[in-house]
Amino acid sequence: MSRIFLFTYVFSLPFALLNVLDSLYQEAALVFIVSYGFLGMEMICIELHDPFGNDPSDLPCHDQAKTCYDDIYLTILDTDGVLAASRLRQRMNPMKRKDDDDDNDAMKEATENDLLIG
């Protein structure tokens, strides 16, 4: 509905400015600038209408979630140690998860990178 009002405004603007400006060139320039601005905002609204999808203009939600997970993982690794960090990794990767929660198994699954960071 807002597009109908926008296009009605853009197409009626030259008639509204008919007796306001002295020159036809000034009127054409003003109509062009105003129309360009409003139609540009409308195109941006169309592009950003659904930001959670797989289009190139959509937000990278999975990348942001991975960055957040990495930050939480490093914080837990620094504060609680390798064992707690490897437990977090097990909980976040349900396919690789084992049924037993033995501390020795969790310590064995810690990679060499985890040991270097801690």
Side-chain angles (χ1 to χ4, degrees), residues 3 44-52:
R3 285 192 197 140
I44 290 171
C45 290
I46 291 170
E47 192 69 30
L48 296 177
H49 175 67
D50 185 20
F52 304 111

Side-chain angles (χ1 to χ4, degrees), residues 6 41 59 114:
L6 174 67
M41 283 192 295
L59 297 173
D114 294 337

Side-chain angles (χ1 to χ4, degrees), residues 10-86:
V10 167
F11 289 126
S12 65
L13 183 63
F15 299 110
L17 296 176
L18 193 59
N19 293 327
V20 175
L21 298 174
D22 297 334
S23 171
L24 181 64
Y25 296 113
Q26 290 176 346
E27 182 180 342
L30 183 62
V31 168
F32 174 76
I33 291 170
V34 171
S35 300
Y36 188 78
F38 279 118
L39 293 175
M41 283 192 295
E42 180 64 24
M43 294 303 294
I44 290 171
C45 290
I46 291 170
E47 192 69 30
L48 296 177
H49 175 67
D50 185 20
F52 304 111
N54 294 328
D55 295 333
S57 65
D58 291 340
L59 297 173
C61 293
H62 294 296
D63 296 337
Q64 291 174 349
K66 178 150 178 23
T67 302
C68 185
Y69 167 73
D70 290 340
D71 290 342
I72 291 170
Y73 177 79
L74 290 175
T75 302
I76 289 176
L77 183 66
D78 288 341
T79 57
D80 296 334
V82 176
L83 184 61
S86 62

Side-chain angles (χ1 to χ4, degrees), residues 62 65-70 72-73 76 84-98 109:
H62 294 296
K66 178 150 178 23
T67 302
C68 185
Y69 167 73
D70 290 340
I72 291 170
Y73 177 79
I76 289 176
S86 62
R87 283 182 185 166
L88 173 68
R89 182 172 284 165
Q90 285 177 354
R91 287 186 184 140
M92 294 304 292
N93 295 327
M95 295 296 188
K96 297 178 183 178
R97 192 169 158 184
K98 294 182 179 178
E109 290 180 11

